[in-house]
């Protein structure tokens, strides 16, 4: 699996208050951020994810690169909706955050959410795209909301100029009844990480064996079910190991019993007795001899008396 350092840039401008996505544009972004974090860290446990906003007075790094999901959640809850976006500045700051990553073997990627008008010119965006490509940084855009055709064209031109070997993608998701995160898993941004559809175990299993999640269930959406399935598997494994040990102990006890090498016929052609039968016969012979000896002693005493 690909080892990546990913900076997620969210759009917390006033446009994110709009309710054309369920339950709102901001809440839809938050849910999608959770999905992206889970997908990246499950694809490779050593991958790290950071979070920053580009609205308000200026871009702000909320969480540096981390593998701790709790920090990302805290960063989302601390974010306030205000102002307008600073797209170009936000991408540049995200690039600096990736430059200072601890693990230099991680590939660099920026995922940008945008749902508001883009103030930068097409020329400036082309220059920025070429600079990011030179630094080996891949950039994915998730454009949602009612975007103007001019803004869509700017994003398409940016994407054409930054495309490289690692792949930079542009996903334009119009408003609809589906959740933003549910539509996002069908795009190349996350489909390469083997993310299952978020419809439960039945849909995941129907599309080919769980789509990368253990037991076909995404722990981020249904942690109780994932925990119950894991515990059931561990109990079944322990039961099988216990039965295996019992079978081994039975085999060892049977090995300790020596097989009898007694021939079927003795030297006189008579059927030979087993060890236990032979012991019984020896006991009977010794008891007969004792009785004969006792009878003989009794007869002698009678003769002397006479």
């Amino acid at each position: 699996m690909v080892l990546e350092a990913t900076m997620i840039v969210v759009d917390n401008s006033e446009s994110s208050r709009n309710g054309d996505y369920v339950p709102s544009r901001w809440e839809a972004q938050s849910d999608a951020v959770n999905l992206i974090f889970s997908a990246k860290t499950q694809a490779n446990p050593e991958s790290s994810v950071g979070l920053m906003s580009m609205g308000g007075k200026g871009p702000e790094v909320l969480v540096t690169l981390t593998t701790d999901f709790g920090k990302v959640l805290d960063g989302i809850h601390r974010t306030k909706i205000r102002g307008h976006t600073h797209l170009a500045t936000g991408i540049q700051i995200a690039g600096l955050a990736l430059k200072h990553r601890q693990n230099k073997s991680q590939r660099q990627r920026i995922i940008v959410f945008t749902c508001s008008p883009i103030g930068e010119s097409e020329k400036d965006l082309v220059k920025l795209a070429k600079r990011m490509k030179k630094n080996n940084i891949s950039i994915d855009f998730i454009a949602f909301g009612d975007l103007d055709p001019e803004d869509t064209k700017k994003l398409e031109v940016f994407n054409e100029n930054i495309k490289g070997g690692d792949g930079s993608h542009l996903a334009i998701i119009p408003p609809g009844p589906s959740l933003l995160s549910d539509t996002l898993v069908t795009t190349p941004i996350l489909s390469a990480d083997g993310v299952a559809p978020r419809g439960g175990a039945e849909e995941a299993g129907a599309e080919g064996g769980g789509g990368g999640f253990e037991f076909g269930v995404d722990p981020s959406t249904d942690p109780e079910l994932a925990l119950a399935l894991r515990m059931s598997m561990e109990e079944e494994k322990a039961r099988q190991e216990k039965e295996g040990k019992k079978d081994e102990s039975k085999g060892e006890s049977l090995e300790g019993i020596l097989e009898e090498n007694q021939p079927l016929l003795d030297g006189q052609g008579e059927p030979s007795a087993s060890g236990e039968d032979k012991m019984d016969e020896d006991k009977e012979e010794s008891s007969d001899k004792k009785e004969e000896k006792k009878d003989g002693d009794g007869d002698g005493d009678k003769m002397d008396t006479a």
Side-chain angles (χ1 to χ4, degrees):
M1 295 294 181
V2 179
L3 177 63
E4 281 188 339
T6 305
M7 285 297 297
I8 303 175
V9 184
V10 293
D11 187 345
N12 62 322
S13 65
E14 291 293 338
S15 298
S16 62
R17 296 184 187 274
N18 199 314
D20 52 352
Y21 290 81
V22 181
S24 67
R25 290 183 181 181
W26 173 248
E27 293 295 335
Q29 282 184 92
S30 302
D31 188 36
V33 168
N34 297 344
L35 178 65
I36 293 172
F37 182 92
S38 299
K40 295 297 181 182
T41 54
Q42 288 183 13
N44 193 318
E46 295 184 6
S47 294
S48 55
V49 179
L51 180 68
M52 63 175 294
S53 61
M54 61 178 180
K57 296 180 179 180
E60 179 184 359
V61 177
L62 303 171
V63 182
T64 56
L65 293 170
T66 182
T67 56
D68 187 352
F69 185 50
K71 293 182 179 179
V72 176
L73 285 177
D74 181 65
I76 292 174
H77 292 310
R78 286 188 290 106
T79 305
K80 295 181 179 180
I81 299 175
R82 56 191 176 185
H84 62 277
T85 59
H86 307 270
L87 181 63
T89 308
I91 292 175
Q92 293 178 31
I93 294 176
L96 290 174
L98 291 174
K99 184 178 180 181
H100 292 89
R101 67 194 185 282
Q102 294 182 350
N103 188 351
K104 298 300 181 182
S105 61
Q106 291 175 323
R107 294 182 181 180
Q108 304 173 88
R109 182 174 296 275
I110 301 173
I111 299 179
V112 183
F113 288 88
T114 177
C115 62
S116 56
I118 299 174
E120 288 79 2
S121 65
E122 183 177 318
K123 184 178 179 181
D124 292 338
L125 290 177
V126 169
K127 289 174 62 178
L128 178 61
K130 292 180 179 179
R131 190 186 313 162
M132 293 292 108
K133 184 178 181 180
K134 185 177 180 181
N135 293 329
N136 297 319
I137 299 176
S138 301
I139 299 180
D140 297 329
F141 272 102
I142 302 172
F144 63 106
D146 296 325
L147 296 177
D148 293 334
E150 184 179 352
D151 293 334
T152 304
K153 183 181 177 182
K154 290 179 181 179
L155 295 177
E156 290 174 349
V157 171
F158 185 96
N159 183 253
E160 287 295 328
N161 282 274
I162 199 174
K163 277 185 177 179
D166 294 337
S168 295
H169 309 286
L170 170 62
I172 299 177
I173 304 175
S178 300
L179 295 174
L180 178 64
S181 55
D182 288 343
T183 309
L184 184 59
V185 297
T186 63
T187 65
I189 295 175
L190 288 185
S191 60
D193 294 314
V195 180
R198 302 182 65 181
E202 294 180 359
E203 290 185 13
E207 296 200 6
F213 291 118
E214 190 176 15
F215 312 116
V217 178
D218 184 359
S220 64
T221 59
D222 199 342
E224 293 181 358
L225 177 59
L227 179 61
L229 290 172
R230 181 181 292 278
M231 291 177 65
S232 178
M233 185 196 70
E234 291 177 354
E235 289 176 359
E236 178 65 17
K237 187 177 179 181
R239 186 185 66 80
Q240 292 178 358
E241 290 178 354
K242 188 176 180 180
E243 290 181 356
K245 288 180 181 179
K246 284 183 179 179
D247 294 339
E248 290 178 1
S249 61
K250 287 181 181 179
E252 292 176 357
S253 61
L254 292 174
E255 289 177 0
I257 300 175
L258 297 175
E259 294 183 1
E260 295 181 355
N261 294 322
Q262 184 74 17
L264 296 176
L265 299 175
D266 56 14
Q268 298 177 356
E270 297 293 334
S272 61
S274 63
E276 293 182 358
D277 295 339
K278 193 171 182 182
M279 290 175 65
D280 293 339
E281 290 178 359
D282 292 340
K283 288 180 180 179
E284 290 178 1
E285 289 179 1
S286 60
S287 62
D288 292 341
K289 287 181 181 180
K290 287 181 181 179
E291 289 179 0
E292 290 177 359
K293 186 176 179 182
K294 186 176 182 181
D295 293 340
D297 293 340
D299 293 342
D301 293 340
K302 289 179 181 179
M303 289 175 67
D304 292 341
T305 306

